[in-house]
Amino acid sequence: MFKCATADVKYKELIKIISQTTGVGRNTISSTIYEYKKTGTITSSNKKKIRPTINEKLDDFQKNAIRQIVHSFWHKREIPTLQKILIAVHQNEDLPDLPQTNLYRVLKGLNFQYTKRVRNSALIERDDIVIWRNKYLESIRKYRQQGRPIYYLDETWVNAGDCTQKTWVDNTVTSHRDAFLKGLTCGTTNPSGKGKRIIVVHIGSDEGFVPGGLLSFESKKNSNDYHEEMNGETFFNWIKNIIPLLKKNAVVVMDNASYHSVKIESCPTASWRKADIEKWLYEKGETYEKPMIIPRLLEIVKRIKPRYDKYVIDEFVKNYDIEILRLPP
């Protein structure tokens, strides 16, 4: 507590005295007094910051580079341990220096898992990811043999300050000062990463980009991941206009981004409450003996799930005799 020497201290001077005494900023003190005058109460100033996880900070290119590092060890017939991968990541100039804990989280996010090989723990991809990749290769091979038109779509971003990676450079210029004295320039500057960011979506085939298939808009978020700018509604509205422009009996290849894979309805998982699982089964007309534990209920869900586990986009394109093929991670 503190005491004021005089009762006629001006408001700003009083704020200054309180700030110096308590160590609290003047703006915070002013807003607190204003809040108390208006509401008669003071809310807690403890605000929990929502910090992005390491998997949210890394973009798709960086994650793919880490995935390739892991597979490079298998190509060399070496066991990819966490320590080996960590060293390789630090040696890659295009990747940030990740602590071992963060690298472990990234690998888990990329669907890698550890398996025992004799006395060593080796990093391999989950069986379902391996099967998914195998099925994709079988499907794309079949469609090519059938001669079906195959289109590929994807999203990316472009900074307004970007420049080309390759350009002609005058090797006689050794520094900015040298260029100034000779009346020359140092060429284009490297991308600053600042300025407006444009989100770009397009679709094409071996015949080139589809005319009228471009979607581009200015980013509104200050985010490292352009995927945050897209959502299921934006993507679906774009795809609805694109599908009529494609050839009949076509195949559209896309990755498994969340906005590409919006479900018509959610199916129960192990994280659901038991009452919600029972309600879902009841709505589907399923009968069973009660009481029944959650794992048994999920067995019933697994049996009937293929009938209801459907994507919005996949069902929409069926009307146009078009099929969606999703890339594995």
Side-chain angles (χ1 to χ4, degrees), residues 117-161:
R117 293 294 178 93
V118 193
R119 295 184 179 179
N120 294 322
S121 292
L123 202 63
I124 64 172
E125 290 186 299
R126 293 199 325 245
D127 289 343
D128 59 320
I129 302 298
V130 175
I131 293 172
W132 185 353
R133 186 175 292 123
N134 186 259
K135 287 183 177 180
Y136 168 80
L137 293 173
E138 290 178 352
S139 298
I140 197 71
R141 187 181 298 117
K142 179 184 69 175
Y143 295 143
R144 287 169 178 167
Q145 290 174 347
Q146 293 173 349
R148 297 180 65 173
I150 300 177
Y151 295 87
Y152 300 85
L153 66 84
D154 206 355
E155 308 84 19
T156 188
W157 58 268
V158 180
N159 265 341

Side-chain angles (χ1 to χ4, degrees), residues 119-303:
R119 295 184 179 179
N120 294 322
S121 292
L123 202 63
I124 64 172
E125 290 186 299
R126 293 199 325 245
D127 289 343
D128 59 320
I129 302 298
V130 175
I131 293 172
W132 185 353
R133 186 175 292 123
N134 186 259
K135 287 183 177 180
Y136 168 80
L137 293 173
E138 290 178 352
S139 298
I140 197 71
R141 187 181 298 117
K142 179 184 69 175
Y143 295 143
R144 287 169 178 167
Q145 290 174 347
Q146 293 173 349
R148 297 180 65 173
I150 300 177
Y151 295 87
Y152 300 85
L153 66 84
D154 206 355
E155 308 84 19
T156 188
W157 58 268
V158 180
N159 265 341
D162 279 353
C163 65
T164 57
Q165 291 183 338
K166 293 184 177 180
T167 184
W168 290 103
V169 178
D170 188 346
N171 290 326
T172 64
V173 177
T174 59
S175 66
H176 287 278
R177 175 177 172 76
D178 185 36
F180 174 77
L181 294 174
K182 294 180 180 179
L184 303 175
T185 68
C186 293
T188 57
T189 58
N190 290 325
S192 64
K194 298 179 180 179
K196 295 181 179 179
R197 174 176 289 185
I198 307 299
I199 310 299
V200 181
V201 188
H202 218 326
I203 182 171
S205 66
D206 56 359
E207 297 180 355
F209 287 112
V210 175
L214 173 65
L215 169 65
S216 62
F217 57 92
E218 183 181 336
S219 169
K220 301 298 182 183
K221 294 184 179 180
N222 184 19
S223 169
N224 291 327
D225 190 357
Y226 62 88
H227 288 91
E228 293 184 14
E229 297 288 335
M230 292 291 292
N231 55 53
E233 183 180 359
T234 302
F235 182 76
F236 184 59
N237 289 334
W238 174 75
I239 202 75
K240 283 194 298 185
N241 296 324
I242 294 303
I243 293 301
L245 305 177
L246 308 184
K247 294 181 178 179
K248 293 292 182 69
N249 198 33
V251 177
V252 177
V253 180
M254 64 178 73
D255 61 30
N256 61 331
S258 58
Y259 45 83
H260 293 168
S261 309
V262 177
K263 299 288 184 69
I264 293 179
E265 65 172 307
S266 299
C267 294
T269 64
S271 63
W272 280 37
R273 294 172 56 249
K274 183 178 180 180
D276 294 332
I277 300 176
E278 291 176 333
K279 180 182 177 183
W280 188 87
L281 290 172
Y282 174 78
E283 292 174 348
K284 304 308 180 204
E286 290 295 315
T287 57
Y288 51 89
E289 291 186 13
K290 295 184 178 181
M292 186 175 287
I293 61 175
I294 290 180
R296 292 288 304 279
L297 292 173
L298 290 175
E299 282 185 355
I300 302 175
V301 171
K302 185 178 180 181
R303 175 172 55 82

